[in-house]
Amino acid sequence: MEAVGYVCPTAFYIEEDIYTGRLTMTPVKPDAAVLVEHISKTFHQGEAGSFIGRLRGQHPAREVQALRDVSFQVARGEIFGILGPNGSGKSTLIRVLSTLIIPDTGRALVFGHDVVKEDMVVKRLINRVSVEASFFKKLSPIENLMYGARLYGLTGKEARERILDILRRLGLRESSFDQPMEEMSRGMQQKVAIARAFLTSPILLLLDEPTTGLDPRSKKEVQQLILSLRDQHDATIILCTHDMEEAESLCDRIAILDEGRIVALDTPDGLKRLVGGPSVSMEDVFLALTGKHLDEEGEAVAPTQPA
Amino acid sequence: MSAILYELRASYAFVERNLNLVKRYMGWEIVWFAYSLASALSITYIGAAMERISGADVNTDYLVLYLLIGTLVWRFLSILFNDISEMIQWERWEGTIEYTLMAPIHRLTHMVGQTLFAILHGALFTLGIAVIIILFFDVSLEGANVLGALLVLLAGSFSFIGLGIMASVLPLLFPERGAQMTNVVQALLLLFSGVYYPVEVLPGWMEAIARVSPATYVLVNIRAALLQGEPTRSLLPIIVLLSLAGVILTFVGLWVFRQAELYAKRTGRLKRNG
């Protein structure tokens, strides 16, 4: 078949037969920003799962299957949501992509580079914002960001200029630039965490519940920042959340993760169609696909039984 | 060249970050300095009091200098060991460990930065204590080979860097108890290395262990240089041996750290609270 092809934003390579006009869709490989294939991860918890316990040949007290045969692709420039309750495996998946956890089986590629075998290359392409703003609490935003900038090879002058520019753009008061992070609100801390991610210009940004615990205003501001990062910096974003509204409003596609498995993956509208139609809410979608509700803290709760 | 510059900048990130932390935790630094000074003075006064304690004729000046060398050398080496071995523990406590370990830098770069800070920190701290202690005692370094002693200390420092890197894996492997374990390692080094006494006074099995501690050779040879004026030429073989042991221990330390990091990544132990 003689064909012309192009990459569409939904991570499929579409080929059109120039004689018949017939379209064929194949999953994108070379142009995928992220390719995850059959990733599984089990953790061993409890004393017998410790290093000494293993040396003694003891069996682990408890096994937790965090990820079970997870596969998906993310296209360049896409905001890809991972929606699931606490303990569903979202953070483990982000840690695998961040080179912080080695999967038991399967592989994950970031722009074609294996996260285990080519971790140093992958580290240059990514940055991560996690639910807890990971900072030296006594250091100021400038001192924390300077540390981050130098780790990514920026000179002191270059870093300082960029830091001041980003912090001003994020709307941080100049008086807070030199105050310890521990004296700032969580919303402000999270903005600094996003500034740290902006600073290194990642082409893949991994966001692990960046708005959890924020007040509505800070949440809105952080969400705006996420959109501007995609639009202005051409970044691909993977966003883990248990906030249905956030997932629906920000993400091009959403994977629903439950007990380590992807139970559905589609656009928000596609997911709604799957369980009823455009009038259903994401809560309905989640309930229909997992049999669970999510409370505000992201804990899965069983649906109320009729009397 | 640009790759080297990149790594050097990243190494400096650790020096600058740690200096900022010292500045922000200055209160603790002062407390620790006061405690170390009091401890060093107390130990040195044992030497000054020995004639009264024993009732025998004792060369007090020699004994004071003997103990002073022990306390100052140990202060420097223990800061070196602490600053390196606790780097993982600090980051785990602050919650930054994952951020640092996902940065695109080699572990050698990480360790070089941490080591440069540790040397600077240890040297300034020890110098401060030395200057104050000298005001309390009539210490004479006449005939002492200070340069030789410093060379021995520098060569011995490499071994402590290697040992510190190896000890730093404990908080990686044991998130709950790793920090306590590094303190035990440090205490054992203090006991076995003849910091305040010749290792020959130890029971046979302890003396055998003392013979494999690099600190034993550092202390014996610094005392030889400062107390007996041993010339640098005759110290050269031990300086070379200590440097060689340091290089080997540093590379073994880096290898051990790499293995521990991989283990932590397989078992999910990098997470903030273990």
Side-chain angles (χ1 to χ4, degrees):
Chain A
M1 181 177 78
E2 206 169 327
V4 290
Y6 58 94
V7 178
C8 84
T10 47
F12 285 94
Y13 186 74
I14 301 175
E15 284 180 318
E16 183 184 359
D17 190 310
I18 58 170
Y19 300 117
T20 64
R22 190 168 153 257
L23 296 174
T24 53
M25 289 170 62
T26 48
V28 170
K29 285 222 168 162
D31 289 317
V34 176
L35 174 66
V36 171
E37 288 183 328
H38 307 293
I39 294 273
S40 292
K41 184 72 203 171
T42 301
F43 293 116
H44 306 280
Q45 293 184 338
E47 270 307 296
S50 69
F51 183 69
I52 296 288
R54 279 166 188 233
L55 286 181
R56 287 177 181 158
Q58 290 173 333
H59 295 293
R62 196 163 79 93
E63 286 195 346
V64 178
Q65 271 197 285
L67 294 173
R68 303 165 194 234
D69 197 27
V70 170
S71 299
F72 62 87
Q73 286 187 34
V74 181
R76 283 169 194 251
E78 191 178 8
I79 298 186
F80 184 86
I82 299 172
L83 183 65
N86 294 337
S88 60
K90 301 190 298 293
S91 296
T92 302
L93 190 52
I94 288 291
R95 285 191 168 91
V96 168
L97 293 172
S98 310
T99 74
L100 294 169
I101 283 181
I102 297 173
D104 297 335
T105 59
R107 64 174 191 155
L109 305 183
V110 171
F111 291 93
H113 301 284
D114 190 295
V115 296
V116 178
K117 293 177 191 151
E118 300 170 272
D119 62 334
M120 199 57 91
V121 182
V122 172
K123 285 173 180 179
R124 288 186 206 284
L125 305 176
I126 63 169
N127 214 315
R128 168 176 168 237
V129 177
S130 58
V131 62
E132 64 282 289
S134 310
F135 287 112
F136 289 90
K137 295 174 275 294
K138 289 272 181 212
L139 299 189
S140 69
I142 289 187
E143 287 165 342
N144 269 296
L145 295 188
M146 191 62 98
Y147 168 59
R150 287 199 196 276
L151 285 184
Y152 285 76
L154 269 68
T155 61
K157 187 169 176 277
E158 195 182 352
R160 200 168 177 86
E161 281 169 7
R162 265 207 230 182
I163 289 166
L164 292 175
D165 177 49
I166 290 173
L167 290 179
R168 283 181 192 128
R169 274 199 285 137
L170 291 179
L172 257 76
R173 280 176 289 110
E174 300 246 351
S175 59
S176 65
F177 288 6
D178 289 312
Q179 93 186 58
M181 293 289 296
E182 64 184 0
E183 291 173 17
M184 300 173 84
S185 69
R186 232 187 75 71
M188 283 292 185
Q189 289 185 11
Q190 209 58 346
K191 277 188 180 178
V192 179
I194 290 179
R196 184 170 60 181
F198 269 51
L199 197 62
T200 62
S201 307
I203 54 172
L204 173 66
L205 184 61
L206 304 163
L207 302 174
D208 190 3
E209 302 195 18
T211 61
T212 296
L214 299 189
D215 61 80
R217 189 179 157 194
S218 301
K219 192 171 176 174
K220 202 82 198 154
E221 285 173 348
V222 168
Q223 288 172 347
Q224 285 302 323
L225 282 172
I226 293 168
L227 287 173
S228 71
L229 187 64
R230 194 262 303 264
D231 297 338
Q232 292 168 21
H233 296 261
D234 196 26
T236 303
I237 295 171
I238 295 185
L239 169 69
C240 283
T241 183
H242 56 251
D243 185 325
M244 311 271 182
E245 229 174 83
E246 179 171 275
E248 188 177 358
S249 64
L250 293 181
C251 303
D252 299 309
R253 290 188 305 145
I254 299 170
I256 295 182
L257 195 64
D258 186 38
E259 295 180 7
R261 278 198 186 86
I262 291 187
V263 295
L265 194 172
D266 210 330
T267 59
D269 288 342
L271 288 172
K272 286 178 178 179
R273 273 197 303 275
L274 199 65
V275 300
S279 60
V280 301
S281 67
M282 283 304 289
E283 277 86 354
D284 298 328
V285 172
F286 194 81
L287 176 64
L289 292 170
T290 66
K292 294 166 191 162
H293 279 302
L294 279 188
D295 67 12
E296 278 186 7
E297 273 75 47
E299 294 296 337
V301 285
T304 319
Q305 296 297 319
Chain B
M1 184 64 190
S2 63
I4 295 172
L5 267 177
Y6 182 95
E7 298 295 333
L8 282 175
R9 268 186 214 132
S11 277
Y12 183 66
F14 294 95
V15 178
E16 186 180 54
R17 180 201 72 184
N18 291 345
L19 287 173
N20 283 330
L21 284 169
V22 166
K23 198 173 70 186
R24 297 276 181 179
Y25 285 99
M26 189 49 83
W28 278 111
E29 203 66 26
I30 291 168
V31 167
W32 182 232
F33 185 85
Y35 175 84
S36 303
L37 179 62
S39 164
L41 278 171
S42 308
I43 289 161
T44 316
Y45 269 119
I46 295 172
M50 196 45 76
E51 212 165 50
R52 285 189 180 210
I53 294 169
S54 65
D57 234 9
V58 175
N59 185 344
T60 304
D61 290 344
Y62 183 92
L63 198 52
V64 163
L65 195 52
Y66 186 96
L67 290 173
L68 186 57
I69 291 166
T71 191
L72 292 178
V73 169
W74 179 248
R75 185 57 49 206
F76 176 73
L77 292 179
S78 64
I79 289 177
L80 206 58
F81 180 83
N82 257 336
D83 284 355
I84 296 170
S85 67
E86 289 183 358
M87 67 185 155
I88 294 299
Q89 191 55 35
W90 290 354
E91 297 238 24
R92 200 182 275 285
W93 181 65
E94 293 274 6
T96 55
I97 185 167
E98 289 193 329
Y99 186 77
T100 297
L101 292 186
M102 67 177 273
I105 54 159
H106 293 101
R107 212 44 66 215
L108 179 63
T109 305
H110 185 171
M111 301 299 167
V112 166
Q114 195 69 25
T115 301
L116 286 175
F117 165 77
I119 291 173
L120 184 67
H121 186 211
L124 287 175
F125 204 93
T126 310
L127 190 67
I129 291 175
V131 166
I132 295 175
I133 287 191
I134 286 170
L135 298 176
F136 284 78
F137 298 96
D138 186 21
V139 177
S140 166
L141 289 177
E142 203 184 322
N145 177 7
V146 178
L147 176 68
L150 288 174
L151 285 175
V152 172
L153 184 62
L154 183 69
S157 301
F158 293 121
S159 298
F160 265 63
I161 291 165
L163 291 171
I165 295 172
M166 278 185 238
S168 73
V169 307
L170 293 170
L172 260 185
L173 298 176
F174 310 101
E176 302 294 328
R177 295 176 292 269
Q180 292 93 312
M181 290 178 184
T182 57
N183 284 324
V184 171
V185 172
Q186 196 183 338
L188 291 175
L189 279 170
L190 171 66
L191 174 66
F192 285 102
S193 304
V195 175
Y196 302 117
Y197 40 78
V199 293
E200 290 77 12
V201 303
L202 295 169
W205 65 272
M206 286 176 80
E207 194 186 333
I209 296 173
R211 297 280 168 213
V212 294
S213 166
T216 305
Y217 300 94
V218 173
L219 284 152
V220 164
N221 288 284
I222 286 179
R223 284 186 173 124
L226 295 180
L227 294 169
Q228 282 100 42
E230 193 80 24
T232 306
R233 203 173 341 115
S234 63
L235 293 170
L236 274 178
I238 196 68
I239 291 171
V240 171
L241 276 176
L242 281 170
S243 303
L244 198 63
V247 170
I248 292 168
L249 282 171
T250 302
F251 279 97
V252 171
L254 282 168
W255 182 83
V256 168
F257 193 95
R258 176 73 186 145
Q259 301 313 307
E261 189 178 341
L262 287 173
Y263 174 80
K265 286 183 176 181
R266 277 194 207 100
T267 53
R269 279 162 197 264
L270 292 183
K271 204 176 163 187
R272 183 179 179 174
N273 298 316

